[in-house]
Amino acid sequence: MQESIINNLKSNIMAFFKRVQKRINNLWYPQSVTVGKPVSTREIADELSFVSTVTRGDTYAVMENLGQVLSKYMSNGRTVKIDGVGTFYYTATAAKRGVKTAEEVTATLINGVRVRFLPEVARSSNNQVITRSMVSDKVVWEEWGKSAGPAGS
């Protein structure tokens, strides 16, 4: 298993797209395609343990509790910034389109909470984005169905 992890880390990252025509303007655009089932927590723990000095079990235990810890801080009105990943925070959704006066605004208008995520970026002195931690510069886009597919299938 470690050999496949090593090979994945060394190679370019393959991403797939398909051609989609938008109804709003009848123009064609590339749209990203996700492939297969989601990567599991155990798979992530395996890879993290391989690239660090932490055991798979310890990594899995931390990851399993991460959502609960993020929720605790965000429920208290805090944003959570994880170095190398990004920032998580809550936003509220309202039950109605709005009310006419500020005095009418109450918590009863809130009907949902969403978790928002902003990937970490590094900026130069003139505020230009120079790196985005979760977007590899080695991504190779290939049209879905026009190649051998993932893992040579």
Side-chain angles (χ1 to χ4, degrees):
M1 174 158 19
Q2 284 189 345
E3 185 176 314
S4 68
I5 292 172
I6 293 169
N7 291 336
N8 287 340
L9 292 174
K10 288 181 180 177
S11 65
N12 284 341
I13 298 157
M14 184 67 64
F16 298 96
F17 74 93
K18 64 181 178 182
R19 299 170 192 204
V20 176
Q21 188 176 24
K22 301 291 181 174
R23 291 181 185 169
I24 193 166
N25 61 9
N26 278 341
L27 296 177
W28 289 83
Y29 298 88
Q31 178 178 308
S32 62
V33 175
T34 58
V35 179
K37 62 182 181 177
V39 177
S40 72
T41 304
R42 289 197 185 276
E43 289 173 284
I44 297 294
D46 282 342
E47 192 148 342
L48 284 171
S49 69
F50 177 75
V51 298
S52 67
T53 60
V54 183
T55 68
R56 174 184 179 240
D58 289 344
T59 303
Y60 184 81
V62 169
M63 290 182 63
E64 190 174 63
N65 292 298
L66 182 60
Q68 180 181 352
V69 172
L70 294 177
S71 174
K72 173 187 166 188
Y73 284 111
M74 290 186 295
S75 294
N76 287 307
R78 307 275 307 271
T79 59
V80 178
K81 182 183 181 305
I82 300 176
D83 293 341
V85 176
T87 303
F88 298 83
Y89 61 97
Y90 279 164
T91 60
T93 57
K96 299 180 180 180
R97 293 182 182 227
V99 291
K100 292 184 180 182
T101 66
E103 290 76 22
E104 295 176 82
V105 176
T106 66
T108 60
L109 294 175
I110 298 172
N111 70 346
V113 177
R114 291 187 177 155
V115 175
R116 299 294 183 172
F117 170 71
L118 295 171
E120 182 176 271
V121 297
R123 296 183 182 274
S124 65
S125 58
N126 61 352
N127 211 25
Q128 295 286 97
V129 173
I130 54 175
T131 60
R132 295 184 294 171
S133 66
M134 296 185 68
V135 179
S136 172
D137 59 353
K138 296 179 182 178
V139 174
V140 176
W141 288 95
E142 189 165 315
E143 188 170 359
W144 181 249
K146 298 269 181 165
S147 69
S153 59

